[in-house]
Amino acid sequence: MQPRNKMEPKTNLPRAEHVVILGGGFAGWYAARGLALRLARQHQITLIDRVDHMLYTPMLTEVAGGTVRPADIAVPAKELPKRVVFVKGEVLSVDVASKQIRLADGSVVQATQLVVALGATTNYDHVPGASENSLALKSLDDAQRVFARIDEVVTLAANCTDPEERRKLLTVLVAGGGYTGVETMAAIVEHLRRKGRAVHIDPDEMSFMLIEPTERLMHETSAPLAAYSQKELERDGVQVLLNTGVSSVDGRAVQLTDGSRYETGLLIWDAGITPNQLLEKLDLPKGKHHGVLTDQCLRVQNRPGVWALGDCAEIPQADGKGTYAPTAQNATREGTWLARNVNAVFRGRVPRPFRYKMLGQLALLSHRRAIADLLGLKIEGFIAWAIWWAIYTLKLPSWKGRIGVVKSFFANNHLFTLRSIREHRPLW
């Protein structure tokens, strides 16, 4: 028997695969990182997104409120592992059967394994005028628009001699009383008052309303923590309107379902999300929330070689009680799990069902207050505020970003200030 020449190429290598990930949010980003770590070298990994950064959304409200710099929560694509090919482009269409992706610039990308992680967009719930006359908070551009609008409102109010017009300008409404809505309102209250004091606007001239169509705020957390959040918001002068929705928005006026009508200088829409609209054009099975239906292993049902995860997917929970919530915490774990399962398939192994129980949730309030629900432990006040900043700063996937956030934190948070003494705000 002749010995095999060591220089002869191996013939038993698995075929080279091209894994293409659509979407560079938490799910897509962590999937790309996990695949780069696990896949054999002959496999290619491509990530496609219309922006060249991963947005660290937990701190997006702080950008709108002016306490964190935009650049610090935009993790650039160059920080992806070197073997991940990043393509900046708008996905125009996808032939799911052939796994061929066509981009808006006319280029075509051919995949052998397709990962759909397109995320979600703001849900205006068919409210007339809402999308045209409100600001959302889903992207870095959105946060900067909110920040700029606050500056504009303060400038207009400072130069306005009509008391009624001034009152309208300084009326802020936030539609949606979930985690994001509560954090958004808290950030805006502090930012608007800070800006107002600089031009001698009395805080009592400002009005803040948080509109929630259900019976309480923040259904994602426990009732006691939600009640604490509402109490803190009301103590800061926010009027919380429960069991109330928005029926229409016209220009500067907001019509509520209880018949009341308010003119406002700033309306922010945080009333839920819906999967990316591109999904409507794709030949993929959809669930009751219009997301892509997958099995527990993150594989799209009846679509071999196609996977879905993140906010655009409906992944069944292990106990059969619904699907995983569209949160950053779930998306990061789904991305890491997908990398394991894709690698398992390439090696001829059986993929494993995704199982994850959330460690907890946190929400930031104003005046160094927050709530935390961590592993069943309920925390509120200053300690929760410190935990919020510590956890989210450490989890930011960029050392440069972390350093920038730490600098912003110390620049904006002096533990003892004349204002805290004047308002008799104890630290804890």
Side-chain angles (χ1 to χ4, degrees):
M1 180 178 179
Q2 293 292 327
R4 186 171 66 85
N5 190 327
K6 291 183 179 180
M7 297 303 293
E8 290 179 8
K10 294 182 179 180
T11 58
N12 60 347
L13 280 174
R15 69 165 183 162
E17 300 270 2
H18 185 192
V19 184
V20 178
I21 305 165
L22 305 182
F26 276 97
W29 187 275
Y30 278 84
R33 284 176 43 168
L35 289 166
L37 180 66
R38 294 176 177 276
L39 294 193
R41 283 289 167 185
Q42 73 265 28
H43 303 308
Q44 183 180 347
I45 307 160
T46 299
L47 175 63
I48 302 174
D49 198 274
R50 61 184 181 82
V51 295
D52 58 0
H53 61 263
M54 190 274 278
L55 179 62
Y56 190 65
T57 53
M59 289 185 170
L60 195 58
T61 54
E62 298 311 293
V63 171
T67 56
V68 170
R69 297 188 313 155
D72 292 333
I73 67 164
V75 185
K78 65 182 180 182
E79 295 197 20
L80 284 165
K82 290 184 179 179
R83 65 175 299 194
V84 177
V85 176
F86 177 79
V87 175
K88 182 180 178 181
E90 186 90 30
V91 177
L92 193 62
S93 64
V94 180
D95 186 324
V96 175
S98 65
K99 303 179 186 64
Q100 191 175 84
I101 302 103
R102 188 173 298 278
L103 304 182
D105 64 2
S107 59
V108 175
V109 180
Q110 181 65 58
T112 57
Q113 297 286 324
L114 179 63
V115 179
V116 181
L118 290 167
T121 58
T122 303
N123 183 9
Y124 293 99
D125 200 25
H126 308 293
V127 175
S131 62
E132 301 88 348
N133 299 293
S134 67
L135 296 179
L137 201 57
K138 285 292 294 176
S139 69
L140 206 55
D141 287 344
D142 290 339
Q144 290 172 304
R145 276 192 286 269
V146 171
F147 180 86
R149 178 56 184 168
I150 292 173
D151 281 356
E152 183 183 11
V153 162
V154 169
T155 301
L156 290 171
N159 294 292
C160 181
T161 57
D162 182 352
E164 184 63 19
E165 180 63 20
R166 186 175 167 109
R167 182 191 62 78
K168 293 173 186 176
L169 283 168
L170 296 173
T171 297
V172 177
L173 275 69
V174 174
Y179 266 77
T180 305
V182 167
E183 288 193 322
T184 299
M185 178 56 83
I188 287 174
V189 167
E190 288 207 348
H191 183 43
L192 188 60
R193 285 179 174 162
R194 182 170 60 246
K195 287 286 184 179
R197 281 193 299 270
V199 292
H200 310 292
I201 294 177
D202 189 339
D204 290 339
E205 294 184 71
M206 302 175 184
S207 298
F208 304 95
M209 279 174 276
L210 181 60
I211 304 162
E212 168 55 37
T214 66
E215 73 284 355
R216 75 171 177 93
L217 300 178
M218 307 169 74
H219 286 269
E220 306 95 327
T221 192
S222 66
L225 287 181
Y228 171 83
S229 301
Q230 181 172 341
K231 182 185 71 175
E232 285 296 306
L233 288 171
E234 290 173 341
R235 189 162 71 145
D236 284 337
V238 178
Q239 185 180 357
V240 178
L241 304 177
L242 300 177
N243 297 306
T244 306
V246 177
S247 57
S248 66
V249 184
D250 104 42
R252 287 178 56 187
V254 179
Q255 184 75 38
L256 303 185
T257 54
D258 64 2
S260 57
R261 179 181 173 88
Y262 296 95
E263 291 191 292
T264 175
L266 175 59
L267 169 63
I268 298 179
W269 199 270
D270 278 323
I273 58 175
T274 188
N276 191 302
Q277 294 178 354
L278 177 62
L279 295 179
E280 297 176 6
K281 304 177 184 178
L282 305 188
D283 180 25
L284 296 169
K286 313 296 194 309
K288 65 178 182 178
H289 301 297
H290 310 291
V292 181
L293 282 174
T294 75
D295 63 13
Q296 291 185 5
C297 298
L298 313 180
R299 298 172 296 194
V300 177
Q301 297 178 6
N302 302 315
R303 301 294 187 276
V306 182
W307 312 73
L309 65 164
D311 292 358
C312 74
E314 296 190 27
I315 303 166
Q317 296 191 47
D319 58 8
K321 297 179 180 178
T323 56
Y324 286 93
T327 66
Q329 189 177 159
N330 283 337
T332 57
R333 270 66 177 193
E334 290 162 11
T336 302
W337 200 270
L338 175 126
R340 294 173 181 169
N341 277 353
V342 170
N343 185 51
V345 168
F346 289 175
R347 293 176 178 273
R349 300 171 185 165
V350 178
R352 296 172 56 192
F354 175 71
R355 290 187 175 88
Y356 178 68
K357 184 177 181 180
M358 290 189 68
L359 299 176
Q361 291 183 302
L362 304 107
L364 200 63
L365 306 173
S366 55
H367 294 293
R368 304 186 187 94
R369 298 290 188 271
I371 60 167
D373 187 347
L374 300 173
L375 298 172
L377 182 63
K378 309 294 191 294
I379 309 169
E380 58 189 39
F382 177 80
I383 294 175
W385 173 82
I387 291 172
W388 189 100
W389 278 101
I391 288 178
Y392 281 129
T393 301
L394 289 172
K395 284 188 170 293
L396 208 165
S398 165
W399 276 106
K400 184 178 179 181
R402 288 176 201 162
I403 293 169
V405 167
V406 169
K407 288 180 178 178
S408 296
F409 175 84
F410 284 108
N412 289 286
N413 290 287
H414 303 288
L415 291 184
F416 295 96
T417 65
L418 290 176
R419 181 164 61 90
S420 65
I421 295 171
R422 183 171 66 247
E423 295 178 354
H424 305 287
R425 291 282 196 173
L427 289 176
W428 52 78

